[in-house]
């Protein structure tokens, strides 16, 4: 606590007050306090749709991510970080507010975030942090709580993107991932007040659909054949009927042009024109050089059925993983900067994504469902002096916990309305506190895109009870439904079968139904 009081801050008096009110155990025992004496800087490295299956420290069989691994080697990898609502805008709203969608008001993409509500960046500003956000935002309203920001409008563009800035907009030539990185480095080096701790949120568009690689990665993985997931040809049997209604299958729903880059050289369509319209002639030239030979071979082969699906899967992964290679390189540049400026020791670095993603599991791309690949999101935390190096953790943690964690790190008691918990006890490598969550409530609202049913779920270490509540009918109108799946992750890790009506699972089903009801009440779910 003595070190805390010495923290240089213009809001010193306020900070001392919060620090005194606040449970000093969040900073660890006496011995650990001495290693984390100052309020840490917070570097939040964030991507859009990055599957844990495509991160080597998570055991990827697809690619290498040496810079995310570098964070994990010096910090902690969370193996069961769950999102409350597996889609872009809602996840971001949860992270900022520390509250579920039904309380922060942002349930589905297209909603507008109420920027007047309490968010962790605002609270950090109040105690003297300098805050900046660069990259994808996707919350419709203007960012609040940031001293400096530059955000992509809506989904943004990979090539020569337009950005919104305070009071206007700007277009920057180049590749989106590199531009966001350079803007972040510029702020760190030249724009921030070096006397204050900082919060910097670096939020990439990558690797979101349409998975457009940057000029430097166009030829990566050209001759690689990726292993296929066991469930690439899932037939959606033995689970709720709404699974079959999905429109996110590699086999049936990918667009050959935009998604798979299978453009014919003479394609004069509006779709092709739109796809390439932002590129400069030299960017277009490099792109054509990279893709044309493979495309010519594809069109000559006239693949069908499973053979075609397998080819689509390979093409999808090539581009997806190329986008990630640029993200990993960006992370390396930022970590190198922290090292070079002596900032690494006092900076809490987080790597995460807005949700997970299907890389062919269940035959899918995209996200939304309560199955593992999209429910889980990567979370790697490096915090020298607090997090012992090279650890992993399999407790149920969530993107709800990010805001309380960052606030606690800064010595601010999280507001009671926030529904997550500070991760500090886990980060210190201690056993989970006795009251740590043993079950987790999930809720997905959006109907329409990809035709995924609305659902809620209760998730534990070994089971999931999923309740499908609404679908779109043939007239594309909302229709209430009442379908249930009970997943047993121990017996069926690929989530191919529901045990909802199995006598063997009657007892666990009852317990999960009760738990679902308890969580709805506790979390004020509507
Ligand atoms: Ca996303």
């Amino acid at each position: 606590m003595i070190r805390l009081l010495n923290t240089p801050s213009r809001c010193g008096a306020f900070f001392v007050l919060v620090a005194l009110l606040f449970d000093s155990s969040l900073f660890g025992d006496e011995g650990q306090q001495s290693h984390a004496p100052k309020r840490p800087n917070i570097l939040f490295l964030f991507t859009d749709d990055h599957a844990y299956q495509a991160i080597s420290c998570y055991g990827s069989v697809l690619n290498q991510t040496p810079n995310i691994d570098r964070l994990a080697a010096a910090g902690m990898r969370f193996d069961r970080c769950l999102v409350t609502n597996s889609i872009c805008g809602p996840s971001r709203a949860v992270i900022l507010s520390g509250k579920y969608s039904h309380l922060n008001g942002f349930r589905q993409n297209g909603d507008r975030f109420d920027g007047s509500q309490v968010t962790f960046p605002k609270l950090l500003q109040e105690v003297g942090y300098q805050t900046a956000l660069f990259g994808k935002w996707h919350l419709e309203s203007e960012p609040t709580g940031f001293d400096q920001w530059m955000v992509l409008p809506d989904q943004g563009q990979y090539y020569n993107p337009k950005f919104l800035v305070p009071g206007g907009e700007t277009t920057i030539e180049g590749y989106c991932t590199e531009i966001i990185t350079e803007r972040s480095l510029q702020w760190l080096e030249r724009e921030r007040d070096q006397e204050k701790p900082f919060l910097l949120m670096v939020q990439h568009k990558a690797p979101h659909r349409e998975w457009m690689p940057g000029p430097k990665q166009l030829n990566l993985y050209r001759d690689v054949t990726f292993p296929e997931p066991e469930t690439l040809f899932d037939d959606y049997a033995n689970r709720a009927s709404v699974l079959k209604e999905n429109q996110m299958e590699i086999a049936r729903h990918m667009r050959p042009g935009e998604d798979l880059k299978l453009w014919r050289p003479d394609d004069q369509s509006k779709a092709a024109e739109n796809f390439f319209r932002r590129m400069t002639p030299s960017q277009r030239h490099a792109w054509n050089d990279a893709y044309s030979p493979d495309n010519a071979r594809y069109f000559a082969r006239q693949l069908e059925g499973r053979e075609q699906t397998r080819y689509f899967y390979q093409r999808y992964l090539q581009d997806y993983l190329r986008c990630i290679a640029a993200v990993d390189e960006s992370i390396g540049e930022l970590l190198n900067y922290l090292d070079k400026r002596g900032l690494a020791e006092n900076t809490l670095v987080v790597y995460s994504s807005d949700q997970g993603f299907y890389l062919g599991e269940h035959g899918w791309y995209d996200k939304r469902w309560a199955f593992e690949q999209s429910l889980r999101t990567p979370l790697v935390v490096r915090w020298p002096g607090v997090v012992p190096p090279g650890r992993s953790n399999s407790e149920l943690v969530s993107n709800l916990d990010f805001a309380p964690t960052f606030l606690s790190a800064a010595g601010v008691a999280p507001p009671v309305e926030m529904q997550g918990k500070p991760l500090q006890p886990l980060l210190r490598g201690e056993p989970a506190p006795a009251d740590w969550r043993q079950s987790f409530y999930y809720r997905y609202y959006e109907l329409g895109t990809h035709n995924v049913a609305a659902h809620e779920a209760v998730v534990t270490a070994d089971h999931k009870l999923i309740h499908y509540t609404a679908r779109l009918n043939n007239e594309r109108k909302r229709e209430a439904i009442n379908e249930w799946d009970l997943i047993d992750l121990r017996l069926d890790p690929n989530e191919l079968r529901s045990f909802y009506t199995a006598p063997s699972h009657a007892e666990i089903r009852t317990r999960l139904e009760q738990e679902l009801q308890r969580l709805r009440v506790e979390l004020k779910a509507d």
Side-chain angles (χ1 to χ4, degrees):
M1 190 55 80
I2 289 165
R3 296 297 191 103
L4 282 172
L5 297 177
N6 287 339
T7 303
S9 163
R10 287 182 201 161
C11 300
F14 176 68
F15 177 71
V16 167
L17 181 65
V18 217
L20 287 169
L21 290 171
F22 157 105
D23 178 6
S24 65
S25 69
L26 290 169
F27 285 93
D29 58 27
E30 291 303 311
Q32 281 164 327
Q33 275 187 31
S34 64
H35 295 292
K38 295 198 299 184
R39 293 184 297 170
N41 304 308
I42 299 169
L43 176 59
F44 184 70
L45 305 169
F46 195 59
T47 44
D48 193 336
D49 295 355
H50 191 178
Y52 60 85
Q53 310 93 291
I55 300 179
S56 37
C57 67
Y58 277 93
S60 172
V61 293
L62 305 169
N63 65 335
Q64 292 295 315
T65 48
N67 291 297
I68 301 176
D69 292 8
R70 190 171 145 192
L71 277 180
M76 185 171 284
R77 183 193 78 217
F78 286 86
D79 289 342
R80 211 107 192 283
C81 180
L82 311 182
V83 294
T84 67
N85 182 355
S86 181
I87 188 165
C88 183
S91 172
R92 288 151 206 267
V94 166
I95 288 169
L96 291 169
S97 68
K99 294 177 182 176
Y100 271 88
S101 306
H102 57 269
L103 294 186
N104 69 42
F106 199 106
R107 289 176 175 78
Q108 55 190 11
N109 283 345
D111 284 352
R112 191 178 174 82
F113 185 67
D114 171 9
S116 71
Q117 66 187 291
V118 173
T119 63
F120 84 85
K122 288 185 190 174
L123 297 175
L124 291 181
Q125 269 185 325
E126 282 179 17
V127 295
Y129 269 73
Q130 240 182 137
T131 62
L133 165 81
F134 302 116
K136 187 158 173 184
W137 173 246
H138 211 200
L139 291 174
E140 302 294 330
S141 55
E142 206 166 78
T144 54
F146 298 97
D147 301 320
Q148 185 57 270
W149 53 268
M150 181 181 88
V151 299
L152 294 161
D154 194 40
Q155 295 283 6
Q157 299 287 343
Y158 276 111
Y159 276 80
N160 312 323
K162 184 166 96 176
F163 288 92
L164 307 178
V165 293
E169 59 180 59
T170 180
T171 296
I172 303 178
E173 188 174 319
Y175 184 60
C176 194
T177 304
E178 294 171 13
I179 294 167
I180 292 167
T181 308
E182 282 163 24
R183 184 69 190 84
S184 302
L185 288 166
Q186 180 190 321
W187 184 80
L188 282 172
E189 178 68 8
R190 297 209 295 269
E191 296 175 32
R192 72 189 172 95
D193 177 348
Q194 314 240 346
E195 298 303 309
K196 291 181 175 180
F198 66 80
L199 161 72
L200 171 58
M201 301 181 81
V202 184
Q203 306 202 151
H204 291 291
K205 168 182 173 59
H208 193 277
R209 194 185 188 190
E210 301 147 342
W211 316 297
M212 290 174 77
K216 285 160 67 183
Q217 289 84 25
L218 284 172
N219 288 299
L220 266 181
Y221 307 116
R222 182 67 58 201
D223 299 310
V224 174
T225 302
F226 300 106
E228 292 171 6
E230 289 173 37
T231 59
L232 182 60
F233 297 102
D234 192 346
D235 61 3
Y236 314 115
N238 305 315
R239 283 148 295 168
S241 69
V242 287
L243 266 69
K244 290 193 181 74
E245 297 175 3
N246 84 81
Q247 294 174 0
M248 48 188 273
E249 291 169 35
I250 292 171
R252 298 194 299 144
H253 304 112
M254 275 191 161
R255 297 162 300 176
E258 294 92 332
D259 291 334
L260 297 164
K261 326 301 181 293
L262 286 164
W263 302 104
R264 290 181 188 271
D266 55 352
D267 194 328
Q268 303 288 319
S269 67
K270 197 79 194 160
E273 190 191 317
N274 277 338
F275 185 85
F276 290 109
R277 84 191 147 84
R278 296 194 73 87
M279 287 188 188
T280 64
S282 71
Q283 288 167 343
R284 176 78 189 263
H285 191 74
W287 185 279
N288 287 346
D289 279 355
Y291 285 93
S292 295
D294 278 356
N295 288 358
R297 278 192 287 276
Y298 167 76
F299 289 120
R301 287 171 73 189
Q302 300 190 315
L303 300 174
E304 287 180 347
R306 288 197 171 193
E307 235 190 335
Q308 186 185 64
T309 304
R310 294 197 149 106
Y311 182 81
F312 283 4
Y313 166 77
Q314 296 294 332
R315 288 290 296 256
Y316 161 41
L317 281 219
Q318 280 181 353
D319 287 325
Y320 181 89
L321 297 171
R322 287 167 182 154
C323 291
I324 286 169
V327 165
D328 192 71
E329 196 178 301
S330 160
I331 292 167
E333 286 179 41
L334 286 156
L335 296 183
N336 289 346
Y337 180 84
L338 296 183
D339 289 343
K340 192 174 74 179
R341 287 285 178 261
L343 292 164
E345 277 301 304
N346 195 38
T347 300
L348 192 179
V349 185
V350 168
Y351 181 73
S352 190
S353 177
D354 59 351
Q355 48 359 254
F357 212 68
Y358 296 98
L359 301 182
E361 298 87 0
H362 304 288
W364 289 334
Y365 58 98
D366 213 72
K367 54 256 182 180
R368 302 163 199 273
W369 303 90
F371 298 113
E372 285 295 279
Q373 290 81 10
S374 54
L375 175 68
R376 278 175 58 184
T377 201
L379 175 62
V380 180
V381 183
R382 185 183 83 179
W383 189 3
V386 176
V387 181
R391 298 289 185 96
S392 66
N393 186 295
S394 58
E395 294 295 332
L396 298 181
V397 305
S398 169
N399 55 355
L400 272 180
D401 301 328
F402 295 2
T405 301
F406 297 149
L407 291 171
S408 296
V412 180
V416 288
E417 305 83 50
M418 285 192 178
Q419 296 176 300
K421 293 181 171 202
L423 294 171
Q424 272 77 346
L426 307 181
L427 289 172
R428 289 193 301 262
E430 296 165 5
D435 63 349
W436 196 260
R437 68 171 75 82
Q438 299 298 307
S439 65
F440 178 77
Y441 180 72
Y442 177 79
R443 181 80 180 264
Y444 172 79
Y445 299 83
E446 189 174 309
L447 293 178
T449 316
H450 298 297
N451 220 34
V452 175
H455 55 289
E456 61 179 347
V458 55
V459 182
T460 67
D462 295 327
H463 297 92
K464 286 176 198 173
L465 181 69
I466 306 171
H467 180 209
Y468 296 96
T469 56
R471 65 187 276 273
L472 283 185
N473 65 18
N474 293 337
E475 283 84 50
R476 307 292 288 169
K477 296 230 168 65
R478 184 187 180 88
E479 174 186 288
I481 56 170
N482 186 31
E483 283 200 76
W484 295 81
D485 279 337
L486 172 53
I487 301 294
D488 188 328
L489 293 167
R490 296 166 309 174
L491 300 176
D492 174 32
N494 283 333
E495 304 176 278
L496 294 169
R497 176 183 170 195
S498 174
F499 292 84
Y500 187 70
T501 56
S504 58
H505 285 65
E507 194 187 315
I508 182 71
R509 172 182 146 182
T510 305
R511 263 195 284 140
L512 289 171
E513 284 168 344
Q514 288 165 352
E515 187 61 9
L516 180 60
Q517 186 50 33
R518 189 191 70 77
L519 286 171
R520 283 184 191 132
V521 173
E522 179 186 297
L523 300 168
K524 305 180 177 70
D526 40 15

